[in-house]
Amino acid sequence: MISINKSQQQFNLDHNHHSFQTNIIVDKPYSCKFCHINDPLIHIPSLVSTCTKCNIVVHNKCITLKEHFQNQCKNNNNNNNNSSNNSNNNTSGGQKISRSNSITCLFKKLFFSKQSPKKQFIKFGLDITSTSSLPLTLDNLIQWIKLLRFDNDRNIKILKNYDIFDNIKINQEIFDYLIGILQSGSKYHDCLSDFENIANIQNEQFISLTLLYRIMFNWENTIYFNDLDVVNFLSDLYKEYLATLNSSYDPNTHQLSLKLLTILLLLFENQTYLVLSFNSSLIETFINLSNHKNLLKESWTEQEENVLGRVIVLLGQYYHQEPFHSAIEKHPEWIDLIINYSTKNQICLVHKELQPSDIQLGPFIYESPLCVVYKGSCTGQEDTVAIKQLSVESLGFEWPLFFKETTIICLSQHPLVIKCLGAHTLQTEKPFIVTELCSRGNIIQALNSFGSEPPFELVVNMAVEASRAMNYLHSKGITHRDVKPANFLVKDCYSVKLIDFGTSKVLDQNLKMTVIGTPVYMAEEVVKGQSYENSADIYSFGIMLWEMFTRKIPFEGMNEFERINFVLKGGRPTIPDTVPIKLANLIRQCWDSNPSARPTFKQIIDCLVSIVDPVTKRSIVNIHQRMNTATLSNVFKYLDTESLLNCSRVSRQWKRSVYESICSNFKEYENIYWSPKRKSLCPIEQNLKSNKKY
């Protein structure tokens, strides 16, 4: 009774009157017209057929029963002529079955009882996802989703129903269909049902997101996600979910957002999509999640907390890699997340972890109640380093501040910010930080080391470098909050380095900040406990400029109470006449009582550079004053004869350095540019010998 038409790849079921055909999609539930069972008939190609003449839908098993052969097709002209022959047909065993035989009919009804809708759904799902059965086509997937929704969508959120799609390979058509369900106006959007209410839309999106999540674990499907438009759409959709939750909390929307959040995290963690993630709005979406945390409050889940933490950890791991470093540097809010996460969880994501065996302490440099600083050496570093050793038992030590300072130093990669070479933070009672060595102390100590009045150009140059360091920090959205001369160290070549980020904070204009810093350098708004911005650092820098160019102690002779009252009434240190007028005006602008009237560090730099003419025409401090013989020797050995002669004319120091370098390490100067013979004096030595001694 059942024959297979191989050309059409579907069953053709022969009946005495009807012309049944399977694999025809039924647009709505029907009851079987033969057995008249009241339960809705679920259409499965291998179990259900449709008459191509009268369009009735019946079970395949009912077609083969002789008792139903009297059912005539309404569109068949010969129905009446053939009705008498139905009762005489034989069964497969050749035995007649009488319609009046109630026992036989009962047996057949029991034997051929239909499968439950749930069993039909399970069987069809296994068929379309099995490699040996039906291929996973778009039509099959649509049919499977219909079967999934047969019981008023009660089975949609049973996750084990989706297990059959784990690691299954799909095609572009199916992927577009799943994305189309999420998009309004997609050509596939109306294929399943009419979305007349929010519940239907949410159910459709739940199915789509769950299937997208399952297929992500097959690497062959990654090509479909590796599309900028797709990633941006999913990111924007998540933002829409968050916006909906912000206006009114809905558990179903929150559930959808969690599913989509998991998909976005998998995209970010996958190395295949790494560059795409930084070029899209994906990371910005995670930042929105951080802002959303305060709005959800009790509804904030552990899953969202874990996802956000994982994203921050990945940002820290990628920070020192290009092109990701440049992308992160452009977003102060991303840096803020890294700093806050490190402070809260007491973990540094961006530093090199050192062990006590990696360092060797040398002479003592500086001591305070909080730390002791030594000269020393560190594995992998040729130059002498500074080792800042702390003790957890010392007064004022706090682990969060230690991790905060270490993180900010590592994040602030700038030539004028102290360079962190590593830190020891894990399972220790004596943590330490290793940085480059600044042998001349802080900026005031370096100026006082001259004994007499330091060169004006040198003071201006050091002020410019300090301004540039602060300008960099502000460009990253970080307020230092403790600007003072002691936090600007000076290297042997008089290069300035900014230090001490324990009190620094990423600027948040909506936050009322606490009173933090050194009292002498505090701005009025900080003393009053008002909210403040980067302009508070400008005020402190103005006091520091006054101290640098006068070499006096600000507010000397005043106690704390007198100084605070003096400042709050508008009092400031007196600027002597020896300070140039342009510089004096700059200092007054920096410590102006109105924060908005203070200049930015970019404006301070421009003003300092233009104070004296030589500053604008040449380097503020000549390079020959900032390089010693050892450094120059490494440069000279790569120069030709003419260049070396020019170097010997720069200054007496350079002339001596050229002579000593050639005499002491002659073999190192035998390079591709210049190879003089040692038997007689080389042209350089002859030239140097002919000059007077110096």
Side-chain angles (χ1 to χ4, degrees), residues 20 46 69 154 172 268 290 329 333 370 421 429 549 690:
F20 288 110
S46 60
F69 272 24
R154 295 177 183 176
Q172 183 69 53
F268 187 51
S290 174
E329 285 262 293
E333 64 275 15
L370 184 62
L421 305 174
E429 297 295 322
F549 285 95
S690 63

Side-chain angles (χ1 to χ4, degrees), residues 106-276:
L106 178 61
F107 170 78
K108 287 188 175 292
K109 286 184 178 182
L110 292 175
F111 183 77
F112 291 103
S113 61
K114 71 164 189 172
Q115 289 182 325
S116 66
K118 183 176 181 180
K119 290 183 179 180
Q120 296 175 7
F121 161 71
I122 294 174
K123 183 180 184 303
F124 183 70
L126 293 174
D127 286 343
I128 65 173
T129 56
S130 173
T131 56
S132 60
S133 185
L134 299 174
L136 182 58
T137 62
L138 179 59
D139 291 338
N140 288 337
L141 181 63
I142 293 175
Q143 189 61 38
W144 180 86
I145 295 177
K146 285 186 177 182
L147 296 177
L148 176 66
R149 306 190 65 183
F150 74 91
D151 192 12
N152 295 325
D153 290 341
R154 295 177 183 176
N155 298 312
I156 284 179
K157 297 185 179 180
I158 301 177
L159 297 182
K160 67 178 182 180
N161 290 333
Y162 302 87
D163 291 346
I164 57 176
F165 292 96
D166 288 348
N167 294 318
I168 196 168
K169 185 181 182 303
I170 64 169
N171 54 36
Q172 183 69 53
E173 187 180 25
I174 293 178
F175 182 81
D176 292 342
Y177 168 72
L178 295 176
I179 295 295
I181 293 177
L182 303 175
Q183 294 174 325
S184 60
S186 169
K187 61 180 179 179
Y188 296 116
H189 199 267
D190 297 327
C191 289
L192 301 182
S193 61
D194 294 328
F195 297 152
E196 298 179 352
N197 53 63
I198 296 178
N200 271 338
I201 295 176
Q202 290 176 338
N203 287 338
E204 296 289 353
Q205 291 184 338
F206 183 91
I207 295 173
S208 176
L209 291 173
T210 305
L211 291 175
L212 285 173
Y213 172 76
R214 298 293 180 130
I215 66 174
M216 289 185 73
F217 293 94
N218 187 320
W219 67 270
E220 294 182 276
N221 297 328
T222 58
I223 187 175
Y224 307 125
F225 290 94
N226 197 12
D227 183 276
L228 183 61
D229 293 335
V230 171
V231 175
N232 283 334
F233 165 71
L234 294 177
S235 301
D236 293 340
L237 179 62
Y238 184 75
K239 294 176 185 177
E240 292 179 10
Y241 286 153
L242 292 184
T244 302
L245 292 173
N246 290 341
S247 59
S248 60
Y249 179 78
D250 175 42
N252 292 328
T253 303
H254 195 190
Q255 188 177 30
L256 291 175
S257 71
L258 291 176
K259 281 200 164 294
L260 182 52
L261 181 63
T262 306
I263 293 175
L264 295 177
L265 178 63
L266 288 175
L267 288 174
F268 187 51
E269 288 184 322
N270 194 320
Q271 294 288 332
T272 306
Y273 314 119
L274 193 54
V275 176
L276 180 66

Side-chain angles (χ1 to χ4, degrees), residues 1 40 98 150 242 249 315 337 375 415 417 494 514 523 535 593 676:
M1 299 298 296
S98 173
F150 74 91
L242 292 184
Y249 179 78
L315 286 177
L337 285 178
K375 285 184 180 180
V417 175
Y494 290 98
T514 55
S535 55
S593 298

Side-chain angles (χ1 to χ4, degrees), residues 270-290:
N270 194 320
Q271 294 288 332
T272 306
Y273 314 119
L274 193 54
V275 176
L276 180 66
S277 299
F278 278 90
N279 291 331
S280 66
S281 58
L282 180 58
I283 302 180
E284 181 184 348
T285 301
F286 293 124
I287 305 304
N288 286 344
L289 172 62
S290 174

Side-chain angles (χ1 to χ4, degrees), residues 347-356 358-359 378-379 381 386-390 399 402-407 409-410 419-428 430-435:
I347 178 174
C348 190
L349 305 175
V350 291
H351 80 290
K352 177 183 178 182
E353 182 66 25
L354 299 175
Q355 299 300 325
D358 294 327
I359 63 170
C378 180
T379 303
Q381 301 296 327
I387 303 172
K388 179 180 179 181
Q389 192 169 63
L390 303 94
W399 275 111
F402 172 75
F403 281 103
K404 181 179 182 180
E405 179 180 8
T406 306
T407 303
I409 292 177
C410 293
K419 184 178 181 180
C420 179
L421 305 174
H424 179 48
T425 62
L426 302 177
Q427 299 178 353
T428 180
K430 291 186 176 181
F432 60 80
I433 303 175
V434 178
T435 65

